[in-house]
């Protein structure tokens, strides 16, 4: 009888253990090369060196990014474990509070959250923010007090999450303001002040604990905003409309259920929509702007988790809640199973690996440090960048190889060129190269890009600085090696302006009369409907077709957000040999000289329409192009 009486306590202990195993990075990943790995390792190294985010580092992540990435760094491992513990405790306290007042059969839905829902860190953090909001909302509607421990841990977790990844900053800020407004309307002014002040204080404390200067915190949020403004435009990929429509149908059904069936006051029902609607919107954007299985899984797993919260929050008059919850679970589980087959992602993603990680940490505390050193040693063997005197940076990525070499890393503010999504960020990287006190002594440079982007568009303003202010000092593997020399010019735009004109999409622009290298800037603007479409989902990609001297044509994608900062258009530099030819002589002739170009748009709502005339609703029909001589 005593065991039965304490069954809820034992269930809570099991739940807490499962949450810890699925949230805390007991079994961290090791550094790995290429884009995502380079970014994650670079951020961990920047945090370990206490580089100033918002001043020296401008990225879509903050100083606690390793809590999100799960990548091991010997100087950050303890911090990562403690941060994970805080998130696990916050999740546990809020799940336990959610369950209060419900029968024991509802534990099934509670356990669905970590067992099936925690497939990726985005799901954990998004749904924790929503869970905290749901719990505060429910207490406020019922006129009950929030437990002090739960409230304190929750606001601390919100502050910490806001310093991990930019997406969570917007989400957390929205819910903080929403709960503050609801507290004010319910005349709970002390709670309103506690929510706002507690979250602000939490962010400030964690910011200072990370070795960051308090004066840089506003700049950090400003650059997170700049990155977020252009993420959709920069990362848009082709659309699988069927998966998106299915998600939208379920989300609409979800919303209508709250509007029509929930037994509550109209004002409380409206606030319920304000809580569930935005989290579904953020899951939709995260899952489908960059439409691949790795991002789709964020939307599917998040839907599973937030749907499991529903029966605990709202009472329904006539609707069969069990059928509704079952439909949500079947929908999400079916997609998770499908994704696990295609991506080979286990349905129980971290439980067993965390148990192994705990065993390793207890039996051999130095094991992960040894694995970390071995990983870097293997990268030194695979691609041994030569050690150079002074400081060094690497373009466009390959940070993992640089950090595993004997070189002293001196990163530009956005140290992965692929992530330069805004013209201002491109300018900051250029200014870093021009500043004699900040610029690296050496630069390893490789022509690298993804997503069909124009090869010289990523960090476009920095390439003329390398050509004019650095000396080509050798070559290793896929990298050219530049050494800082006497500046011969600041940028192409300080050279001679050749032409500025207004052009229309699909109009061919003739540049055959310009023999020397050409630098181009584009001012391509969305229309008002385009801005709405970009906010709600995404717009059509922008492409450029270049006709070359040898009679061939190539098509690339351009990002209007960085097009204002510009890039080297002609000759087409698609490999190191092309770049060396420009460095050797700016007079040509260049086999890959661009004779003409055409900017056009692609609509892909139903896979493959390439008709710019239908995009007049999303983009202004004309754009401005300026040509400069390098």
């Amino acid at each position: 009888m005593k065991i039965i009486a304490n069954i809820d306590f034992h269930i809570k202990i099991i739940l807490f253990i499962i949450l810890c195993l699925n949230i805390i990075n007991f079994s961290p990943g090791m550094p790995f090369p290429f884009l995502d790995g380079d970014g994650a390792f670079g951020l961990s190294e920047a945090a370990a060196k206490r580089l100033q985010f918002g001043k020296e580092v401008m990225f879509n992540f903050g100083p606690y990014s390793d809590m999100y990435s799960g990548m091991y760094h010997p100087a950050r491992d303890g911090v990562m474990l403690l941060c994970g513990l805080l998130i696990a405790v916050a999740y546990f306290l809020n799940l336990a509070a959610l369950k209060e007042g419900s029968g024991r059969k509802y534990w099934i839905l509670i356990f669905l959250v970590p067992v099936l829902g925690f497939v990726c860190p985005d799901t954990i953090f998004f749904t924790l923010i929503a869970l905290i909001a749901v719990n505060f909302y429910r207490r406020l509607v019922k006129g009950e007090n929030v437990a002090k421990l739960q409230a304190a841990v929750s606001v601390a977790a919100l502050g910490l999450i806001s310093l991990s990844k930019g997406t969570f900053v917007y989400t957390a800020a929205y819910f903080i303001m929403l709960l503050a407004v609801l507290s004010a309307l319910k005349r709970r002014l002390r709670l309103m002040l506690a929510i706002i002040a507690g979250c602000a204080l939490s962010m400030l404390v964690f910011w200072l604990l990370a070795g960051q200067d308090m004066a840089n915190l506003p700049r950090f949020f400003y650059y997170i905003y700049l990155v977020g403004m252009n993420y959709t435009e920069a990362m848009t990929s082709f659309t699988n409309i069927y998966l998106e429509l299915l998600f939208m149908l379920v989300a609409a059904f979800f919303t209508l259920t709250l509007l029509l069936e929930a037994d509550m006051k109209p004002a409380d029902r409206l606030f319920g929509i304000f809580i569930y609607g935005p989290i579904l919107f953020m899951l939709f954007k995260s899952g489908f702007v960059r439409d691949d299985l790795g991002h789709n899984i964020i939307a599917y797993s998040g839907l599973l988790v937030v749907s499991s919260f529903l029966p605990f929050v709202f009472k329904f008059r006539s609707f069969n809640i069990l059928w509704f919850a079952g439909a949500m679970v079947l929908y999400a589980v079916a997609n998770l199973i499908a994704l696990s087959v295609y991506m080979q992602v286990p349905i129980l993603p971290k439980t067993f690996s965390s148990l192994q990680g705990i065993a390793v940490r207890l039996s051999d505390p130095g094991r992960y440090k040894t694995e970390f050193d071995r990983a870097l040693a293997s990268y030194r063997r695979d691609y041994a960048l030569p050690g150079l005197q002074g400081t060094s940076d690497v373009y466009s990525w390959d940070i993992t190889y640089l950090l595993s070499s004997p070189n002293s890393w001196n990163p530009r503010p956005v140290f992965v060129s692929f992530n330069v999504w805004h013209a201002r960020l491109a300018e900051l990287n250029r200014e870093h190269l021009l500043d004699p006190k900040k610029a690296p002594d050496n630069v390893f440079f490789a022509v690298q890009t993804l997503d069909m982007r124009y090869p010289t568009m990523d960090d476009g303003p920095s390439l003329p600085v390398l050509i004019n202010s650095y000396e080509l000092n050798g070559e290793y593997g896929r990298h050219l090696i530049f050494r800082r020399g006497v500046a011969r010019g600041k940028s192409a735009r300080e050279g001679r302006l050749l032409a500025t004109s207004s052009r229309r999409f699909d109009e061919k622009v003739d540049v055959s009369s310009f023999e020397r290298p050409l630098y181009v800037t584009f001012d391509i603007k969305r229309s008002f409907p385009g801005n709405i479409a970009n906010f709600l989902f995404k717009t059509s990609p922008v492409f450029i077709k270049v006709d070359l001297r040898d009679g061939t044509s190539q098509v690339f994608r351009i990002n209007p957000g960085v097009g204002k900062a510009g890039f080297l258009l002609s000759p087409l530099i698609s490999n190191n040999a092309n770049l060396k030819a420009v460095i050797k002589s700016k007079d040509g002739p260049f086999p890959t000289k661009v004779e003409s170009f055409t900017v056009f748009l692609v609509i892909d709502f139903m896979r493959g329409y390439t008709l710019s005339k239908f995009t007049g609703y999303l983009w202004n029909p004309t754009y401005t192009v300026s040509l400069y001589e390098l």
Side-chain angles (χ1 to χ4, degrees), residues 8-9 66 81 125 155 218 300 372 386 465 474:
D8 281 347
F9 173 77
D66 37 16
L81 292 174
F125 296 128
V155 296
Y300 301 140
F372 176 85
V465 179

Side-chain angles (χ1 to χ4, degrees), residues 239-470:
T239 296
N240 187 334
I241 193 169
Y242 304 108
L243 290 176
E244 292 158 3
L245 285 176
L246 182 58
F247 184 94
M248 286 189 285
L249 286 172
V250 176
F253 180 64
F254 200 174
T255 306
L256 285 173
T257 301
L258 297 182
L259 286 172
L260 302 176
E261 294 290 338
D263 187 11
M264 63 182 72
K265 297 177 181 178
D268 294 335
R269 182 184 290 115
L270 184 61
F271 267 93
I273 298 300
F274 283 161
I275 286 177
Y276 274 92
I279 198 65
L280 292 175
F281 171 70
M282 291 302 297
L283 290 171
F284 176 75
K285 289 275 286 188
S286 298
F288 298 113
V289 165
R290 189 163 183 83
D291 200 346
D292 55 45
L293 293 177
H295 287 82
N296 294 161
I297 200 170
I298 299 172
Y300 301 140
S301 57
L303 181 63
L304 168 64
V305 174
V306 296
S307 66
S308 67
F309 298 160
L310 187 68
F312 301 96
V313 184
F314 303 107
K315 293 182 179 180
F316 294 83
R317 293 191 296 267
S318 59
F319 193 79
N320 190 331
I321 185 58
L322 293 179
W323 182 88
F324 174 79
M328 297 298 99
V329 170
L330 287 175
Y331 166 79
V333 170
N335 283 290
L336 288 177
I337 292 173
L339 287 168
S340 70
V341 171
Y342 286 107
M343 296 181 63
Q344 298 182 343
V345 175
I347 293 299
L348 299 177
K350 290 181 65 175
T351 303
F352 300 115
S353 63
S354 290
L355 288 171
Q356 294 173 348
I358 293 172
V360 166
R361 290 177 183 275
L362 292 176
S363 61
D364 186 3
R367 170 80 171 276
Y368 286 125
K369 176 63 168 62
T370 302
E371 289 185 7
F372 176 85
D373 293 337
R374 286 176 180 172
L376 297 191
S378 71
Y379 299 138
R380 282 194 295 272
R381 290 192 301 269
D382 295 343
Y383 194 72
L385 288 174
L388 302 176
Q389 185 177 2
T391 61
S392 301
D393 197 5
V394 61
Y395 288 70
S396 293
W397 46 81
D398 287 327
I399 292 106
T400 302
Y401 289 115
L402 181 64
L403 290 176
S404 64
S405 74
N407 291 283
S408 175
W409 185 41
N410 176 9
R412 58 200 181 278
V414 187
F415 53 79
V416 176
S417 298
F418 183 79
N419 289 61
V420 180
W421 298 331
H422 192 280
R424 178 56 187 151
L425 299 177
E427 291 291 342
L428 287 171
N429 280 357
R430 168 181 168 272
E431 291 166 7
H432 178 77
L433 281 179
L434 290 170
D435 191 332
K437 296 181 180 180
K438 297 179 181 178
D441 299 301
N442 313 286
V443 170
F444 295 92
F445 188 91
V447 180
Q448 298 167 310
T449 192
L450 290 172
D451 290 354
M452 292 180 62
R453 292 183 181 181
Y454 203 84
T456 51
M457 187 185 71
D458 295 340
D459 260 327
S462 295
L463 183 55
V465 179
L466 284 174
I467 294 173
N468 290 324
S469 302
Y470 281 72

Side-chain angles (χ1 to χ4, degrees), residues 71-87:
M71 183 171 288
Y72 177 84
H73 192 290
R76 300 282 299 169
D77 186 48
V79 173
M80 184 171 65
L81 292 174
L82 290 175
C83 290
L85 178 61
L86 174 61
I87 299 301

Side-chain angles (χ1 to χ4, degrees), residues 90-105:
Y91 223 118
F92 168 74
L93 291 175
N94 280 280
L95 278 179
L98 190 69
K99 164 64 177 61
E100 286 180 8
S102 303
R104 286 175 179 164
K105 62 182 179 181

Side-chain angles (χ1 to χ4, degrees), residues 475-496:
E475 190 172 359
Y476 179 83
R478 61 179 170 272
H479 287 92
L480 299 179
I481 302 175
F482 290 88
R483 180 75 181 175
R484 187 164 56 156
V486 178
R488 297 190 298 275
K490 290 190 174 181
S491 81
R493 285 163 301 156
E494 290 160 358
R496 185 164 64 96

Side-chain angles (χ1 to χ4, degrees), residues 48-265:
K49 290 184 174 180
R50 305 216 163 188
L51 297 181
Q52 295 300 301
F53 284 73
K55 182 179 180 181
E56 297 172 300
V57 178
M58 285 80 166
F59 221 73
N60 53 321
F61 289 88
Y64 292 93
S65 63
D66 37 16
M67 181 180 68
Y68 171 87
S69 69
M71 183 171 288
Y72 177 84
H73 192 290
R76 300 282 299 169
D77 186 48
V79 173
M80 184 171 65
L81 292 174
L82 290 175
C83 290
L85 178 61
L86 174 61
I87 299 301
V89 171
Y91 223 118
F92 168 74
L93 291 175
N94 280 280
L95 278 179
L98 190 69
K99 164 64 177 61
E100 286 180 8
S102 303
R104 286 175 179 164
K105 62 182 179 181
Y106 284 89
W107 279 118
I108 298 173
L109 283 177
I110 290 292
F111 274 87
L112 280 177
V113 172
V115 173
L116 291 179
F118 287 179
V119 180
C120 57
D122 296 84
T123 306
I124 296 173
F125 296 128
F126 271 134
T127 57
L128 174 56
I129 295 170
L131 178 60
I132 292 171
V134 163
N135 266 319
F136 275 73
Y137 163 78
R138 189 173 68 156
R139 298 290 185 182
L140 284 167
V141 169
K142 292 182 177 181
E144 300 173 352
N145 292 322
V146 181
K148 292 182 179 179
L149 177 61
Q150 177 194 348
V153 173
S154 295
V155 296
L158 287 175
L160 176 61
I161 290 172
S162 299
L163 300 179
S164 62
K165 185 181 179 183
T167 314
F168 308 137
V169 174
Y170 316 128
T171 312
Y174 169 81
F175 282 115
I176 290 168
M177 296 309 299
L178 181 68
L179 291 175
V181 170
L182 182 58
S183 300
L185 292 177
K186 296 290 183 179
R187 298 181 180 179
R188 303 281 295 276
L189 297 181
R190 291 180 61 184
L191 180 59
M192 178 192 73
L193 294 174
I195 292 171
I196 296 175
C199 290
L201 180 62
S202 169
M203 278 188 280
L204 180 59
V205 168
F206 282 113
W207 182 258
L208 295 175
L209 288 175
Q212 303 296 306
D213 189 334
M214 184 169 63
N216 293 325
L217 186 57
R219 289 169 54 89
F220 167 73
F221 287 124
Y222 171 69
Y223 286 112
I224 284 289
Y225 165 76
L226 282 189
V227 171
M229 282 285 290
N230 273 70
Y231 171 83
T232 299
E233 195 172 81
M235 300 298 284
T236 292
S237 62
F238 294 124
T239 296
N240 187 334
I241 193 169
Y242 304 108
L243 290 176
E244 292 158 3
L245 285 176
L246 182 58
F247 184 94
M248 286 189 285
L249 286 172
V250 176
F253 180 64
F254 200 174
T255 306
L256 285 173
T257 301
L258 297 182
L259 286 172
L260 302 176
E261 294 290 338
D263 187 11
M264 63 182 72
K265 297 177 181 178

